[in-house]
Amino acid sequence: MAKLGDWVQPHPEGIYIPAADAWVDPSQPKARALVTHGHADHARGGHGEVWATPETLAIMDARYGEQTGHPVAYGETIRMGPKGNDVEIGFVPAGHVLGSAQIVLDHRGERIVVSGDYKRRPDPTCEPFRPVKCDVFITEATFGLPVFRHPETSDEVDKLLAALRAEPDRCVLVGAYALGKAQRVIMELRAMGFDDPIYIHGALQRLCDLYIDHGVQLGELRPATGLPKAELKGRIVIAPPGALNDRWSRRLPDPITAMASGWMTVRQRARQRNVELPLIMSDHADWDELTRTIQEIAPRELWVTHGREDALVHWCQQRQIKARALELAGYEDEDD
């Protein structure tokens, strides 16, 4: 008797689907790749052909040069493999960043869903996560420990705005990952009624422009480089995390150093970054969202790709859900 999901093969460099001769989020160049989203630990350059959402392909083009890409819209279904024994493949929203998708695989009467990275919180920059019933759910577990329970996003944005009002002779410098987090911080500020210009590091410009091109209205953005310090007093400046403590940031007027990340729950990480204002704002599911999602989907088996696998596997086993860690390589604890 065939084992559940044995037509999908986990390897250290990714998930291989022999019947389709394709890989999901491979960490090495492959002839055929299905890509969940545009972050560099999931979307590499050098593949022969790539199937992804139009937004993810645009992000990959911006980062790696033009791909041999096949756009697959949310809700669209494609088929790969020999006729009569092919794999039906669909992309549904993952709620992680612009264009992020779960990959739904149907073959031999079984359904396997590869989540990629995902979150359940509302995010004005991308389509919300859509749960899909399946036999095997292949999930991330970046924040797969009970200590990770993220606060309301609006409360964190309130903290940012309160810091700005309290010290108008300083600026607030927010470290935010260039793809997804920076644009989300901007949009969350706009949602709270902050209509002032927001100043950005030059490294964020290209991806902010891409988001605008895809209909995400970020409001007025201005370059933060080359301005007199006085112009930036009382302003919000957003930069990649690596710029928080380098020479670039010394040009700013006594910045209040902030960082938007789920990892700001861990005080030691905030101290290591010299972060004065930790903002717990994650683009990954926290512990409660991970476990609620598993309960909602109710898979026969759970496979965990990366993150804090052991705790999530143990949680499943306590509830008679068969679970295992895949131990894939190459996924990073990105600045989230």
Side-chain angles (χ1 to χ4, degrees):
M1 185 176 177
K3 189 177 178 182
L4 179 64
D6 65 355
W7 48 274
V8 168
Q9 300 176 358
H11 294 266
E13 70 266 37
I15 295 169
Y16 180 54
I17 310 152
D21 190 22
W23 293 75
V24 177
D25 288 353
S27 59
Q28 299 173 7
K30 301 293 182 183
R32 293 152 67 89
L34 310 172
V35 175
T36 60
H37 67 282
H39 280 145
D41 58 339
H42 291 256
R44 272 79 171 189
H47 301 308
E49 296 179 271
V50 176
W51 285 260
T53 63
E55 297 87 352
T56 294
L57 289 174
I59 291 164
M60 293 180 72
D61 287 350
R63 289 187 150 184
Y64 306 123
E66 190 170 348
Q67 309 292 301
T68 303
H70 304 276
V72 185
Y74 292 137
E76 183 181 351
T77 298
I78 61 172
R79 292 181 178 273
M80 286 188 184
K83 192 171 182 180
N85 192 37
D86 51 7
V87 181
E88 189 175 286
I89 302 167
F91 287 65
V92 299
H96 179 56
V97 296
L98 180 70
S100 61
Q102 306 169 76
I103 297 178
V104 181
L105 307 167
D106 286 289
H107 185 57
R108 292 194 335 206
E110 295 176 356
R111 170 167 285 180
I112 295 178
V113 174
V114 185
S115 74
D117 290 338
Y118 71 97
K119 70 174 177 293
R120 302 301 303 267
R121 305 292 173 99
D123 181 342
T125 71
C126 64
E127 293 289 324
F129 178 94
R130 181 163 70 84
V132 178
K133 293 284 187 179
C134 56
D135 299 291
V136 179
F137 185 50
I138 304 179
T139 183
E140 63 139 318
T142 301
F143 292 107
L145 290 173
V147 68
F148 292 114
R149 288 183 163 96
H150 301 143
E152 292 296 326
T153 304
S154 58
D155 292 343
E156 301 304 287
V157 178
D158 276 341
K159 283 165 49 178
L160 195 167
L161 293 173
L164 191 69
R165 290 191 296 267
E167 300 196 64
D169 287 334
R170 303 174 73 184
C171 70
V172 178
L173 171 61
V174 183
Y177 198 71
L179 171 57
K181 185 58 60 64
Q183 297 79 19
R184 184 180 173 204
V185 169
I186 292 166
M187 289 299 288
E188 297 288 1
L189 284 162
R190 301 308 189 199
M192 297 289 283
F194 185 82
D195 295 325
D196 291 1
I198 294 174
Y199 293 76
I200 62 172
H201 188 286
L204 305 182
Q205 188 69 57
R206 181 172 55 175
L207 287 172
C208 285
D209 289 344
L210 187 150
Y211 267 64
I212 292 167
D213 290 343
H214 285 84
V216 181
Q217 300 304 315
L218 299 176
E220 184 178 356
L221 304 180
R222 296 180 184 176
T225 304
L227 300 176
K229 283 188 177 184
E231 187 173 335
L232 292 171
K233 287 183 178 181
R235 300 294 192 177
I236 294 174
V237 180
I238 302 178
L244 290 184
N245 298 299
D246 69 4
R247 181 184 298 176
W248 182 88
S249 67
R250 295 183 202 130
R251 306 168 185 170
L252 304 176
D254 189 19
I256 300 167
T257 303
M259 183 156 171
S261 169
W263 294 112
M264 290 298 97
T265 303
V266 182
R267 292 181 181 180
Q268 184 179 358
R269 289 216 182 194
R271 287 196 296 267
Q272 286 171 345
R273 297 270 192 172
N274 295 317
V275 171
E276 185 177 345
L277 180 64
L279 302 171
I280 303 169
M281 191 184 298
S282 178
D283 285 328
H284 295 266
D286 68 6
W287 175 257
D288 290 333
E289 292 166 339
L290 287 167
T291 54
R292 174 167 58 88
T293 300
I294 295 165
Q295 290 173 318
E296 186 175 3
I297 291 171
R300 293 163 61 192
E301 291 189 15
L302 185 87
W303 301 355
V304 187
T305 56
H306 63 287
R308 276 64 194 161
E309 301 102 326
D310 291 349
L312 198 59
V313 168
H314 179 68
W315 181 91
C316 287
Q317 291 171 342
Q318 285 185 314
R319 289 156 181 80
Q320 288 72 53
I321 303 169
K322 190 173 181 181
R324 65 177 174 128
L326 300 185
E327 299 178 355
L328 303 187
Y331 295 106
E332 302 168 1
D333 283 346
E334 64 204 25
D335 287 311
D336 173 47

